[in-house]
Amino acid sequence: MRASPFEVPWSDYTPALIDGLQRTVAFTVVSFAGAAILGLVVALLRLSPTRLVRLPAAVYTEVFKNVPLLAIIFLTYFGLASAGIRLDVFTAGCLSLVVFYAAYLSEIFRSAISGVHAGQTEAGEALGLGKVGIFGHIILPQALRQALPGTNTMLVDLLKSTSLLVTVSAAELMSEGRLITSATFRALEVYLVISAIYFALCYPLSQLLLLLERKVRAGVPLSPWRRRRVRAARELLAGDMTTDVRVKEAAV
């Protein structure tokens, strides 16, 4: 009689899976935050009018876009250790993900910033704003709106790429799955469950990001500060319209 494909005592391994899930989320949050900051810095360097600044940023982008993430993980964890620089697994994993995804995010940010019409900068100068003010109040908000689709895709992709850290035993979700497989010899069942957990993470996240993108494109204010300003503007417009109607009625 053939054995059932579902015989792993999952109740025994639930704590390990929860720990691996938390580790995966921690890798994702820390790495994406670092990659977004570094990517924005690299994008600004690539937009600099100074060639000596643009060239290193361009080299960085092209190198890390054309080297596999797995090779970067090995270089960061094993390569640096052989050179006397020993990093713990979490630091090495986050650093690998940061430098890899920062290269792609820098291209997304650079394209979005370049896509803002030059007339916006001229309008800011006409209002007396400096370069920092123009970038922070005019260019960046519009660029972030344009960069959302690509940035959202990179976030979901980074979450899935944390599974490659299994190669350095990072104790994330895929590493826990490998340990359960070694203990139970039920590879099909274990990796089906691990895949289902990744799907349960990635699909809702992608849908939430898509909803956020739609709200931003529709001009829906997301922050309380922004909502207060929009409400105040609507009240002001409504007051002006009421005044105009009264003036017209009085004239008649």
Side-chain angles (χ1 to χ4, degrees):
M1 182 176 181
R2 191 169 182 176
S4 170
F6 301 102
E7 295 181 352
V8 174
W10 288 108
S11 59
D12 297 341
Y13 298 107
T14 299
L17 287 176
I18 293 175
D19 289 342
L21 180 59
Q22 292 174 342
R23 192 87 167 176
T24 295
V25 172
F27 272 116
T28 302
V29 172
V30 174
S31 300
F32 185 77
I37 295 171
L38 180 58
L40 180 59
V41 171
V42 174
L44 293 176
L45 292 178
R46 293 204 63 184
L47 291 171
S48 171
T50 306
R51 181 178 176 83
L52 291 177
V53 175
R54 289 199 314 270
L55 184 59
V59 171
Y60 167 86
T61 302
E62 294 304 321
V63 167
F64 285 100
K65 279 173 55 183
N66 293 283
V67 175
L69 176 57
L70 189 58
I72 296 173
I73 294 172
F74 283 171
L75 283 170
T76 304
Y77 188 67
F78 298 112
L80 292 180
S82 65
I85 304 174
R86 298 187 179 278
L87 302 176
D88 61 85
V89 174
F90 187 79
T91 302
C94 288
L95 180 59
S96 302
L97 292 168
V98 165
V99 297
F100 181 79
Y101 280 94
Y104 288 93
L105 288 173
S106 69
E107 289 291 88
I108 294 171
F109 295 155
R110 183 173 67 89
S111 176
I113 293 171
S114 300
V116 178
H117 196 275
Q120 300 290 320
T121 301
E122 296 172 358
E125 292 173 347
L127 292 173
L129 295 175
K131 291 184 178 181
V132 176
I134 292 173
F135 180 77
H137 296 289
I138 298 177
I139 304 299
L140 186 59
Q142 297 182 66
L144 289 177
R145 187 179 296 111
Q146 296 183 35
L148 266 181
T151 304
N152 294 344
T153 300
M154 287 293 104
L155 174 56
V156 177
D157 192 69
L158 189 153
L159 172 56
K160 293 185 292 183
S161 294
T162 58
S163 61
L164 290 176
L165 298 175
V166 66
T167 55
V168 292
S169 301
E172 35 61 63
L173 193 58
M174 188 61 74
S175 296
E176 295 297 343
R178 186 178 65 175
L179 292 176
I180 297 172
T181 301
S182 300
T184 62
F185 300 100
R186 309 291 299 181
L188 176 61
E189 179 180 352
V190 171
Y191 289 123
L192 278 175
V193 171
I194 296 297
S195 299
I197 295 174
Y198 273 109
F199 180 81
L201 282 174
C202 294
Y203 183 74
L205 177 61
S206 63
Q207 295 304 304
L208 285 173
L209 293 173
L210 182 60
L211 178 62
L212 173 64
E213 179 187 337
R214 289 173 177 169
K215 285 184 176 294
V216 170
R217 287 189 176 277
V220 177
L222 301 178
S223 66
W225 175 77
R226 176 78 172 170
R227 285 195 291 269
R228 285 195 298 268
R229 291 195 62 181
V230 171
R231 191 182 304 115
R234 287 174 178 171
E235 292 174 355
L236 181 62
L237 289 174
D240 291 342
M241 291 178 64
T242 302
T243 302
D244 290 342
V245 170
R246 290 176 179 175
V247 169
K248 291 179 180 179
E249 291 177 349
V252 173

